[in-house]
Amino acid sequence: MHVEVRGLNKKFGDFQAVRDVEFAIGKGQLIGLLGPSGGGKTSILRMLAGLEKPDSGDILFHGRRVNDLPPQERGIGFVFQNYALFKHMTVADNIAFGLQVKKWPKPKIKERIAELVELTGLAGFEKRFPHQLSGGQRQRVAFARALAPEPQLLLLDEPFAAIDAKIRHELRSWLREMIDRLGITSIFVTHDQDEAIEVADEIMIISKGKVEQKGTPWEIYKNPQTPFVASFIGESTVIEDIASLKGFEAAASWPGTKGLIRPEYIEVGKENEFILLSATEAGRVSHVHFRGSEWLVEVQVGEIKLVTYRSLEKKVLQPGEEVRVLVHRAYLFNDNDNWVMENKLKEDPLPVHI
Amino acid sequence: MKALWITLTFIVFALLLGIPVVRIAGGAWDDGWSGFAAGLSRPEAVHALMMTGLIVVIVTAVNALFGVMLALYLVRAKWLGTQLKRIMNSIVDLPFAVSPVIGGLMIVLLLGPDTALGSLLNKAGVPIVYALPGMVIATLFVTFPLIVREVMPVLQEIGDQQEEAAHLLGAYAWTTFWRVTWPSIRWSVVYGVVLTVARTLGEFGAVLVVSGNIINKTQTATTLVYEDVENFNLTAANAVALVLAACSIGLLLFMEWAKSRKAS
Ligand SMILES: Nc1ncnc2c1ncn2[C@@H]1O[C@H](COP(=O)(O)OP(=O)(O)O)[C@@H](O)[C@H]1O
Ligand SMILES: [Mg+2]
């Protein structure tokens, strides 16, 4: 289903939970709504579902305005954050509910249950009650129940939040696969960026009720359009006095400009590890932490503290050691503007012409 | 120490509940089976017991219906303002705070034959005070909080997400209530109904004021017992009281059973 939202606003009392939200989603896409808790993600989902009435704005499915359509008529599958399974019904009855309500003939209902139980790997659990299932199994029941009446749009509110980390990974890829197979347009909410990046075709970053940016995970990572997005996606350190770093002196021509640097923008090592020594800063290692697959290195460069990773293959750095630090790029921003600046000294100052 | 407390509690209950029941039972059999049978088969006794039964049926039905509805509105309705809900919530508790006699008096003052509304209804052939409708209203007033207060916390606890899930699966309000909400609240409703029946069986003050205690007309089991005692007709009083006590014990046992179902 093609979904479009225009100028959506929602207030709870005096609190503006959703603010001028606009977006369009193509058929068959899997979209992740990502943002901090309390940002308004659930509210957006609930308005799409018709559980909450927007104060203003239009919601269009297939180009048709559905604002006045009750939730019963919207043809949406919804997976609640805590699943909201019917606790006095068995797994099979939970899945059958939507079909019975729609007066499907009995044999067809039976067939559909069998199909969904197979799809969600719940075979053998049909007669169990929700309280007799594990978290992951409940999630699958919620998924099966939502999919049973063949909805055109699937909404999932933090579908993995209540599941322990290990199974969460499995479920994520399972969900991705399932949605690809069914080709159903889906929107899922999460506050976990790894989850969004791993699962979604496109991410919408939501903060304080606004869509900060919409794009593929790579686009958002590479080209964050607001300081909020830049600091929310990935890890980063904000540097007040970015112009004091070698290669970024030009930043001084925009007063009030700050820099944001990610660990992966920085290289740290001994002098012999760099070809362009002139572009590097002198620094001192203040801490190293073992992170399983790499070292997390904290270095002090003048007044500035930077954080970066270092491969386990390279020579181990010790706290207190003098090192060279190369900052490849920084994301600069001030009140009016934001852009990515490459280290100016990285371009060889004395190019050799042949 | 614990054993001592349990024994003590047991003794207190035996003194407070057991002995009166035994005395009532004993009193009813003072003149043997014939005395008991005679006490119960008096026309006024039969009428009073029928009256009580009728009131129990009407009040329980009305209360169950409106109690569940009000509980649903107070917990779920978004269109009711928070302020209004708070006020309605305190009104529900009013009968707990007000003495039943005062409750009955309020009905007499509002709907009595001397009031405008009362005389109007009287002319229309629906007398309220000193008639069955008034007694039903008085008993409704006294028992109204019982079901509401049983059901509201359960509704709050289960939350509205299961209902929202049902809506999204295409179920409208009626289907959602019967298939999703009702299974979760039914044992609380049953428990509230039992409480209502028990309270209605035993209601005395409000009914006495509203009914005028007219023999063979507006007399109920409790007001009959009162009159029999006044007239030193103790055997007959005990006979009727024993029927009421038997109902109470039956209800108590049923209540325990309902409570265990509610908990599961
Ligand atoms: N029914 C409601 N009444 C009052 N405030 C609400 C209601 N629903 C959400 N809010 C508020 O709106 C804000 C956004 O909530 P929500 O959409 O749940 O955010 P998210 O899902 O991103 O965590 C929060 O501050 C929350 O407290
Ligand atoms: Mg949320």
Side-chain angles (χ1 to χ4, degrees):
Chain A
M1 179 151 69
H2 182 270
V3 177
E4 193 177 345
V5 164
R6 293 189 199 134
L8 204 63
N9 278 288
K10 179 73 190 175
K11 267 187 175 179
F12 293 111
D14 289 335
F15 182 77
Q16 184 100 32
V18 173
R19 197 185 293 268
D20 291 325
V21 164
E22 310 219 335
F23 59 82
I25 298 171
K27 192 169 172 337
Q29 275 195 310
L30 174 54
I31 303 291
L33 295 189
L34 173 65
S37 270
K41 305 180 296 294
T42 299
S43 304
I44 294 174
L45 228 52
R46 289 176 59 85
M47 284 191 276
L48 286 176
L51 296 173
E52 213 79 66
K53 212 175 154 48
D55 296 336
S56 65
D58 295 324
I59 299 169
L60 294 95
F61 293 167
H62 290 307
R64 193 176 132 227
R65 189 171 180 275
V66 295
N67 285 44
D68 302 319
L69 226 52
Q72 286 88 347
E73 307 296 328
R74 291 198 187 187
I76 285 178
F78 200 109
V79 176
F80 287 84
Q81 190 162 355
N82 49 13
Y83 318 137
L85 297 177
F86 304 132
K87 65 181 167 93
H88 56 274
M89 289 185 206
T90 61
V91 169
D93 288 339
N94 264 282
I95 299 173
F97 185 89
L99 309 177
Q100 290 163 347
V101 165
K102 298 224 162 71
K103 304 237 158 47
W104 279 33
K106 277 222 173 74
K108 263 192 85 187
I109 293 181
K110 235 174 143 184
E111 214 173 276
R112 183 79 178 139
I113 293 175
E115 200 179 306
L116 282 161
V117 160
E118 191 58 42
L119 184 81
T120 50
L122 285 165
F125 293 94
E126 294 93 333
K127 295 245 154 57
R128 296 238 192 144
F129 285 91
H131 66 91
Q132 298 167 319
L133 299 174
S134 74
Q137 288 167 338
R138 280 182 216 172
Q139 214 259 343
R140 287 161 191 247
V141 177
F143 190 75
R145 181 180 69 177
L147 286 178
E150 296 169 340
Q152 303 220 45
L153 173 65
L154 183 65
L155 305 177
L156 306 111
D157 193 358
E158 312 233 8
F160 310 114
I163 291 172
D164 40 298
K166 217 164 156 212
I167 308 172
R168 203 182 312 173
H169 271 281
E170 263 172 53
L171 273 177
R172 265 185 216 163
S173 23
W174 175 80
L175 179 76
R176 175 75 250 196
E177 219 175 275
M178 205 61 46
I179 287 173
D180 278 346
R181 178 132 48 112
L182 300 171
I184 179 174
T185 313
S186 308
I187 305 177
F188 78 102
V189 162
T190 176
H191 61 257
D192 176 346
Q193 53 165 307
D194 292 341
E195 195 165 293
I197 288 170
E198 199 175 311
V199 178
D201 293 323
E202 273 197 25
I203 296 178
M204 272 193 265
I205 309 271
I206 312 273
S207 163
K208 300 200 177 120
K210 278 195 309 210
V211 178
E212 293 272 338
Q213 190 170 351
K214 177 172 181 283
T216 64
W218 176 239
E219 274 166 16
I220 288 181
Y221 172 83
K222 214 173 44 172
N223 269 322
Q225 272 154 22
T226 66
F228 174 83
V229 174
S231 60
F232 189 75
I233 288 284
E235 293 167 79
S236 56
T237 321
V238 173
I239 317 278
E240 299 283 334
D241 187 13
I242 187 73
S244 69
L245 273 180
K246 248 190 199 169
F248 297 93
E249 292 82 355
S253 42
W254 294 277
T257 295
K258 295 177 191 172
L260 182 146
I261 300 182
R262 299 186 191 284
E264 55 271 35
Y265 293 172
I266 303 171
E267 254 182 275
V268 59
K270 306 301 285 181
E271 288 190 11
N272 56 10
E273 291 176 32
F274 293 94
I275 303 160
L276 268 171
L277 211 51
S278 59
T280 64
E281 289 266 11
R284 180 190 292 272
V285 176
S286 50
H287 287 289
V288 290
H289 309 272
F290 181 57
R291 277 294 156 87
S293 52
E294 59 207 338
W295 291 104
L296 178 86
V297 184
E298 291 176 30
V299 281
Q300 194 72 36
V301 176
E303 293 293 298
I304 299 168
K305 199 181 104 187
L306 295 170
V307 179
T308 183
Y309 293 108
R310 184 172 164 86
S311 162
L312 296 180
E313 299 300 323
K314 294 191 179 159
K315 186 175 165 293
V316 179
L317 298 176
Q318 301 298 333
E321 213 171 326
E322 299 289 340
V323 286
R324 304 302 299 182
V325 179
L326 173 61
V327 179
H328 286 279
R329 72 187 65 80
Y331 172 81
L332 302 190
F333 61 94
N334 54 37
D335 293 342
N336 316 315
D337 207 2
N338 54 78
W339 67 101
V340 174
M341 183 185 262
E342 296 289 328
N343 187 329
K344 292 279 191 293
L345 299 176
K346 261 176 69 187
E347 291 128 44
D348 201 329
L350 297 166
V352 182
H353 294 281
I354 305 170
Chain B
M1 196 60 206
K2 201 169 155 190
L4 182 73
W5 275 115
I6 292 174
T7 320
L8 211 66
T9 319
F10 203 77
I11 291 171
V12 169
F13 270 92
L15 287 175
L16 286 176
L17 291 175
I19 293 181
V21 172
V22 170
R23 286 302 299 269
I24 288 173
W29 298 103
D30 260 355
D31 302 341
W33 166 256
S34 60
F36 176 71
L40 280 186
S41 56
R42 288 174 299 161
E44 62 265 37
V46 172
H47 186 269
L49 285 169
M50 292 286 285
M51 201 69 181
T52 295
L54 189 60
I55 293 176
V56 165
V57 170
I58 299 174
V59 165
T60 307
V62 173
N63 238 346
L65 184 65
F66 287 94
V68 171
M69 258 170 61
L70 187 69
L72 275 173
Y73 284 138
L74 284 179
V75 177
R76 294 278 192 267
K78 286 183 189 151
W79 43 267
L80 282 176
T82 2
Q83 207 63 35
L84 187 63
K85 271 190 197 167
R86 198 169 306 154
I87 294 169
M88 285 172 70
N89 232 321
S90 358
I91 292 179
V92 170
D93 282 335
L94 196 67
F96 281 153
V98 175
S99 151
V101 176
I102 309 291
L105 191 63
M106 286 196 311
I107 292 168
V108 174
L109 290 179
L110 283 174
L111 298 169
D114 306 332
T115 63
L117 201 57
S119 63
L120 207 71
L121 284 166
N122 226 339
K123 269 197 209 110
V126 202
I128 303 289
V129 172
Y130 310 128
L132 184 65
M135 297 159 73
V136 168
I137 294 173
T139 314
L140 275 177
F141 171 80
V142 174
T143 56
F144 192 63
L146 296 172
I147 289 177
V148 180
R149 283 287 171 255
E150 275 302 318
V151 175
M152 274 182 71
V154 182
L155 283 175
Q156 257 146 6
E157 194 197 308
I158 59 174
D160 56 2
Q161 293 219 313
Q162 288 183 56
E163 290 157 25
E164 287 181 341
H167 292 329
L168 284 161
L169 289 166
Y172 281 92
W174 188 249
T175 315
T176 305
F177 176 77
W178 284 114
R179 295 212 44 200
V180 177
T181 317
W182 175 250
S184 297
I185 62 169
R186 64 182 160 198
W187 289 109
S188 311
V189 175
V190 168
Y191 190 66
V193 162
V194 174
L195 290 178
T196 305
V197 172
R199 191 76 182 75
T200 308
L201 276 177
E203 179 45 39
F204 175 72
V207 168
L208 184 67
V209 174
V210 172
S211 70
N213 203 8
I214 307 164
I215 200 161
N216 278 334
K217 190 158 174 268
T218 64
Q219 198 162 45
T220 63
T222 50
T223 57
L224 173 64
V225 171
Y226 166 73
E227 196 180 281
D228 283 343
V229 171
E230 290 277 278
N231 298 336
F232 300 105
N233 194 356
L234 283 185
T235 307
N238 277 327
V240 178
L242 188 63
V243 172
L244 288 177
C247 289
S248 299
I249 291 168
L251 281 171
L252 207 69
L253 294 175
F254 184 69
M255 201 141 71
E256 277 312 305
W257 178 75
K259 215 156 47 180
S260 69
R261 291 305 302 260
K262 193 174 82 164
S264 69

